[in-house]
Amino acid sequence: MSLTTLLIQAMATLGGLGLVIGIMLIAASRVFKVETNPLVEEVVEVLPGANCGACGFAGCADFAERVVEENAPLDGCPVGGFETAKEIGGILGQDVSEAEKEYPYLRCNGGTKCVDRFDYVGIEDCTAVIMLSDGEKGCNYGCMGRGTCVRACPFDAITIGDDRLPDVNKNLCKSCGLCIEACPNDVLMFAKDSEKVHVQCNSHDKGKAVKAVCEIGCIGCKICEKNCPEDAIKVTKFLAEIDQDKCTACGICVEKCPQNCIEMR
Amino acid sequence: MAADVSLFQIFMDGVFIKNFLIIQFLGLCSFVGVTKDTKSAAGMSGAVIFVMTMAATVSYLIYSFVLIPLKLEFLSLISFIVVIAALVQLVEFVVRKNIPSLYRSLGIYLPLITTNCAVLGVVLLNVLNEYSFIQSVVFGVAAGIGYTIVMLMMSGIRERSTLVNVPSAVRGLPQAFLIATMLSMAFVNYFGVIPI
């Protein structure tokens, strides 16, 4: 067999193989064709593209698909906010009304005002701290201040201040809720700007135990509950809770609280 | 040569004694890249098992019914690459059509299988060892299972080791290589368990 015939045979074989496989792949791509809606592409364009998953779907592309095809809420993207919702509404020909933005709010003012039970030396992570006999803090409910929420935030909106408490920068915050999910002690929660009065404590311990470890924790004395003219405060399990629908931000509870753990902003 | 080797021997050979990842050091990019969490490691492993089995099957057919009769064995490498690439493409079509959620979670890892040298390794070893059709398929499945076992072990260890206080110089990839070394030393003990 001469070199030329060998070359021709090799080329013909590989070419034939490629041709057969190519035809099979073309056929397969016809059979398994996935119909994509052009609207989905348009919606992806206007989304922020952070892929943070705050909408509850796998990413921005997934959210766009659900919005177009499965009637997911138009304002489902907390990062894009109202602007994005309006643009999506424009693409799909639907009207959107604005919902008020919510920010993570810290239910603990302990920080350096709360005593430490021991010196913690280890990785700077709230979950790791809590795994070590419920944390170094005297209070088992409060903020550990080790920055798990800071690292969870994809937008660098949280910093740990000198008082060892996280500080949320509202200009950078996109209300995605990832910090709230990451916090192992559930001291972060969503609150609207219009909700003025908040209890700055998460402790369900009895008053005496709270006083022993924290300067400004809620001791469940019910003074706020008795003084509230709107009947908006309930003390359950030694912790005051404010019904934001009833609260008129009169400020009486803020003045009366002996522990100064109710705050008006 | 290969005719008297039992299927069980070939199977154990592929899974443990000649484990593709940590004995033969094939497909290491996916081994280091995808083992950060167990979920994607498992998804990748599933896809690799399927592609390895299919590649072993199809390439045996092409090798013995096209290349050998035409005396074009030297084309085996390039034609196997073509076959594997086409198979991965086909898998992508099917998964995208029928299981879109899996398609989304696998993402980039699915096309990555094309360049996974472990798949090509299975096919070339089949030719080298002169395995029959059944033997080739069994070796393909076994290689996939061995890949899966090591991927899951590695991802489990790496997931847990993120919570451990590791010196910062070793954190990340160096740590992964150290773990891989120890896993590899453990698997070396399987040498000679089954004479092959």
Side-chain angles (χ1 to χ4, degrees):
Chain A
M1 188 158 52
S2 74
L3 197 61
T4 324
T5 42
L6 189 68
L7 196 65
I8 291 172
Q9 269 195 2
M11 282 167 65
T13 312
L14 257 192
L17 193 66
L19 198 68
V20 171
I21 287 178
I23 291 170
M24 277 164 64
L25 275 184
I26 290 172
S29 73
R30 289 272 162 80
V31 174
F32 296 110
K33 194 172 184 191
V34 182
E35 297 289 336
T36 46
N37 196 327
L39 287 176
V40 175
E41 295 290 316
E42 279 184 58
V43 174
V44 171
E45 286 293 308
V46 300
L47 286 174
N51 285 318
C52 60
C55 50
F57 302 116
C60 289
D62 196 22
F63 172 68
E65 214 177 297
R66 307 291 179 103
V67 166
V68 175
E69 276 158 20
E70 294 171 26
N71 295 324
L74 295 179
D75 54 356
C77 176
V79 178
F82 180 58
E83 287 303 309
T84 306
K86 220 160 54 177
E87 284 184 61
I88 299 174
I91 294 169
L92 300 179
Q94 294 174 26
D95 283 331
V96 202
S97 56
E98 186 166 14
E100 196 181 358
K101 210 175 164 186
E102 292 188 320
Y103 299 99
Y105 182 79
L106 187 68
R107 270 192 295 189
C108 175
N109 238 353
T112 46
K113 291 182 190 124
C114 182
V115 296
D116 290 347
R117 287 188 289 149
F118 52 84
D119 279 338
Y120 173 79
V121 179
I123 43 174
E124 286 287 304
D125 185 83
C126 301
T127 314
V129 176
I130 286 171
M131 279 161 75
L132 199 66
S133 67
D134 285 340
E136 64 185 322
K137 294 271 181 202
C139 171
N140 288 346
Y141 298 92
C143 173
M144 293 290 145
R146 297 284 175 178
T148 294
C149 51
V150 176
R151 282 183 294 280
C153 179
F155 309 103
D156 296 327
I158 311 182
T159 46
I160 297 282
D162 293 335
D163 53 357
R164 283 174 63 192
L165 291 173
D167 181 32
V168 179
N169 184 339
K170 284 189 186 170
N171 295 327
L172 294 174
C173 177
K174 306 279 186 193
S175 310
C176 67
L178 289 180
C179 52
I180 293 172
E181 227 168 85
C183 179
N185 250 7
D186 295 333
V187 283
L188 285 168
M189 59 174 231
F190 269 132
K192 290 178 183 141
D193 257 348
S194 61
E195 297 168 356
K196 295 287 183 203
V197 185
H198 294 278
V199 179
Q200 295 267 42
C201 185
N202 191 35
S203 171
H204 287 289
D205 275 343
K206 287 184 181 169
K208 202 180 163 194
V210 173
K211 266 202 159 162
V213 293
C214 186
E215 282 175 36
I216 77 167
C218 174
I219 54 175
C221 62
K222 299 201 177 184
I223 290 177
C224 52
E225 187 180 312
K226 282 168 201 148
N227 282 292
C228 181
E230 306 292 332
D231 199 21
I233 307 184
K234 275 271 165 317
V235 175
T236 41
K237 277 194 186 167
F238 309 103
L239 179 64
E241 267 173 49
I242 297 175
D243 187 342
Q244 298 291 356
D245 293 336
K246 289 184 186 166
C247 178
T248 54
C250 61
I252 294 175
C253 54
V254 180
E255 271 171 43
K256 296 280 183 186
C257 177
Q259 288 290 91
N260 292 322
C261 66
I262 305 183
E263 196 178 72
M264 172 116 85
R265 54 175 182 180
Chain B
M1 165 217 165
D4 55 341
V5 183
S6 78
L7 291 180
F8 179 70
Q9 281 182 7
I10 290 176
F11 185 80
M12 296 308 274
D13 198 36
V15 175
F16 294 110
I17 302 163
K18 285 187 191 157
N19 187 291
F20 275 78
L21 283 176
I22 55 185
I23 298 297
Q24 313 213 42
F25 307 127
L26 292 172
L28 285 184
C29 33
S30 61
F31 181 50
V32 176
V34 192
T35 48
K36 272 180 201 143
D37 66 306
T38 309
K39 216 174 135 193
S40 52
M44 180 75 175
S45 304
V48 167
I49 290 183
F50 180 76
V51 174
M52 274 183 174
T53 314
M54 290 297 290
T57 314
V58 177
S59 64
Y60 178 86
L61 296 177
I62 286 179
Y63 188 72
S64 45
F65 294 114
V66 179
L67 297 184
I68 290 183
L70 292 171
K71 295 197 177 61
L72 289 171
E73 289 93 339
F74 64 90
L75 284 181
S76 56
L77 187 60
I78 190 163
S79 41
F80 292 162
I81 290 175
V82 171
V83 167
I84 292 168
L87 274 175
V88 173
Q89 201 68 47
L90 191 67
V91 172
E92 204 174 329
F93 286 149
V94 175
V95 171
R96 190 172 181 187
K97 170 85 177 178
N98 294 330
I99 330 171
S101 56
L102 181 68
Y103 178 78
R104 258 185 241 114
S105 65
L106 279 180
I108 183 71
Y109 304 129
L110 208 48
L112 253 182
I113 303 172
T114 315
T115 52
N116 192 331
C117 43
V119 180
L120 190 61
V122 172
V123 178
L124 289 177
L125 280 178
N126 279 340
V127 173
L128 198 71
N129 292 335
E130 295 168 15
Y131 283 154
S132 71
F133 180 68
I134 302 291
Q135 285 172 326
S136 297
V137 176
V138 168
F139 192 63
V141 178
I145 292 173
Y147 181 92
T148 309
I149 290 174
V150 175
M151 288 288 276
L152 293 181
M153 282 165 72
M154 181 70 167
S155 60
I157 296 172
R158 279 184 83 177
E159 262 184 1
R160 280 157 185 76
S161 66
T162 51
L163 277 178
V164 183
N165 200 356
V166 178
S168 57
V170 189
R171 222 168 274 164
L173 273 187
Q175 191 186 353
F177 281 115
L178 287 174
I179 297 169
T181 315
M182 287 178 236
L183 269 181
S184 179
M185 289 198 305
F187 268 67
V188 164
N189 288 320
Y190 287 117
F191 280 170
V193 170
I194 293 174
I196 195 155

